[in-house]
Amino acid sequence: MISTIYQPFKNFDFKHKNCFLSGDTFTAPVVETPVLPEWLLKIAGFSGEERIKLLDESIRTYNSLTIPCNTEVLEHFIQPLEDRISAAFSAGYASVSRLDEADVFNWIGKFMYGLIYVEMNAAVKQQQLSADGVNMSQGLMHKFGNLHTMIQKMYTDVVFEDFTPWSIVVVPLEEKDTPFSFRDEINTMTFSLKLKDFGIIAVLQDNGTNKKYHQELLDQIKGNRLSAQQFEELCARFYYSAYLFNRLPEYTIMPVEGSIYIEAMPLRGTLNKAIFDPWQHKTYAQVLQDFWKPWGHTLFEIIKDPTNPISYFSPPSLPATS
């Protein structure tokens, strides 16, 4: 029975001793499990020796990115989730689009939290993160802690009371053999990936607001296969709007009789302003240029008309500027 919630950010528990998810070290041994699962590397055609740069500028291989996990949690809860995601990814868009959004959230949440754990471990080793001095914003740690509590839904009963914490979009792609790639922005909890004939975009802690923000375009493209440029443009819009999202979501979290109940506080709170800062085409164009690097679009080209950035969607259905 749950009487307390494991909260690793309270004592900076990132030393590869306790299970990353449950904190448990007693009921079963703790083993290292990869952040990028073996099945994903196999589907992507990766060896695991590919490299990634961490926030501290260190370079690590995919295979070296691991997190500690209780073997019972791994076998009975995480592995079945991995199996469901693996089967859907192998089959492609039709199967991925039928996945339970809670499964997609848990899997992406585990993926992102795994990367966060690796970053936290590096910070602890370098004594940049301790109980005495924190070289990280309290707001960011608050979001990380909330994410960790939410993904405990993988192994225990977590109830979201009358709200959904995430915005998740799954779209079909024109290209049937799109190489695997992913992108994440941990400050805004935004993640995207593409593989085979599907793409996924997720904002993990916005209570569904980013999806509503782009609803006009999402309704317009529903059921359409997106070109590579269109998918990257859609990603750019979500990454930019997640940056404009100016609330730090607050939740009431309470363990009751073996379950964790999470209630979202109203996002509007007492602030007398919109949930999103004003959309600026010029700033958005800079984001878009980065996503469109493979096609060589220059910033000048994208924003040649300051009131109408170029778009691969017709109509563009861009958010209004203020």
Side-chain angles (χ1 to χ4, degrees):
M1 179 180 294
I2 296 175
S3 57
T4 58
I5 302 170
Y6 175 49
Q7 296 178 304
F9 284 89
K10 284 197 169 180
N11 60 356
F12 306 109
D13 185 11
F14 303 103
K15 298 178 181 177
H16 285 265
K17 294 180 179 179
N18 293 7
C19 173
F20 84 97
L21 190 60
S22 67
D24 186 7
T25 60
F26 303 106
T27 61
V30 171
V31 297
E32 293 295 321
T33 184
V35 173
L36 277 78
E38 187 176 335
W39 66 261
L40 182 60
L41 295 177
K42 186 176 180 181
I43 289 178
F46 290 167
S47 67
E49 294 305 308
E50 292 78 11
R51 298 184 175 191
I52 185 172
K53 180 183 285 189
L54 302 184
L55 294 178
D56 65 0
E57 299 297 315
S58 64
I59 305 295
R60 300 276 297 274
T61 64
Y62 287 163
N63 280 339
S64 72
L65 304 178
T66 63
I67 49 178
C69 189
N70 175 298
T71 52
E72 285 192 358
V73 171
L74 182 61
E75 179 182 352
H76 297 294
F77 301 102
I78 293 179
Q79 194 55 54
L81 171 65
E82 294 284 359
D83 291 344
R84 292 193 295 275
I85 300 294
S86 171
F89 278 26
S90 297
Y93 171 75
S95 292
V96 174
S97 63
R98 290 195 297 267
L99 283 168
D100 187 331
E101 274 199 357
D103 275 353
V104 179
F105 171 77
N106 285 335
W107 186 80
I108 293 175
K110 171 185 170 290
F111 193 117
M112 284 196 72
Y113 185 78
L115 294 173
I116 292 167
Y117 188 104
V118 170
E119 299 281 9
M120 294 298 101
N121 174 258
V124 168
K125 283 183 176 179
Q126 296 172 16
Q127 298 182 328
Q128 295 175 347
L129 191 66
S130 69
D132 300 320
V134 180
N135 189 21
M136 179 174 290
S137 79
Q138 292 292 328
L140 197 54
M141 286 203 300
H142 186 68
K143 289 202 291 188
F144 291 168
N146 284 337
L147 175 65
H148 181 267
T149 299
M150 290 173 179
I151 64 172
Q152 289 182 49
K153 191 175 180 67
M154 280 188 280
Y155 85 98
T156 193
D157 184 35
V158 174
V159 180
F160 300 123
E161 296 198 276
D162 300 320
F163 84 105
T164 300
W166 60 79
S167 291
I168 292 176
V169 175
V170 180
V171 295
L173 303 179
E174 286 180 352
E175 174 60 54
K176 300 295 179 66
D177 296 309
T178 303
F180 172 74
S181 64
F182 74 92
R183 185 189 296 246
D184 68 276
E185 213 299 300
I186 62 173
N187 290 286
T188 59
M189 296 283 184
T190 309
F191 178 91
S192 58
L193 70 80
K194 53 186 178 181
L195 174 66
K196 294 190 172 184
D197 66 340
F198 67 90
I200 301 176
I201 305 169
V203 185
L204 298 186
Q205 206 168 126
D206 70 340
N207 298 355
T209 55
N210 280 276
K211 192 170 182 178
K212 292 177 183 175
Y213 190 77
H214 297 291
Q215 198 62 57
E216 179 183 355
L217 178 60
L218 294 175
D219 288 343
Q220 175 182 320
I221 65 175
K222 188 174 182 179
N224 297 338
R225 292 195 171 273
L226 303 187
S227 68
Q229 295 94 328
Q230 286 176 323
F231 178 69
E232 295 301 330
E233 182 178 344
L234 185 63
C235 287
R237 296 195 190 192
F238 270 84
Y239 278 81
Y240 180 49
S241 67
Y243 167 77
L244 296 177
F245 180 63
N246 59 38
R247 298 296 197 271
L248 179 63
E250 295 284 352
Y251 305 97
T252 300
I253 301 172
M254 185 174 295
V256 179
E257 297 182 350
S259 298
I260 300 174
Y261 289 86
I262 303 179
E263 181 181 0
M265 306 301 288
L267 285 175
R268 294 199 175 276
T270 58
L271 296 177
N272 188 25
K273 64 176 182 178
I275 293 176
F276 292 90
D277 288 336
W279 180 280
Q280 302 288 343
H281 286 331
K282 184 176 180 180
T283 308
Y284 163 65
Q286 293 171 338
V287 176
L288 190 55
Q289 181 189 23
D290 184 57
F291 280 80
W292 275 350
K293 273 184 180 177
W295 298 279
H297 291 299
T298 65
L299 183 60
F300 175 78
E301 178 188 2
I302 294 171
I303 201 70
K304 187 175 182 180
D305 179 351
T307 65
N308 187 28
I310 64 172
S311 172
Y312 280 86
F313 295 111
S314 181
S317 300
L318 280 160
T321 57
S322 9

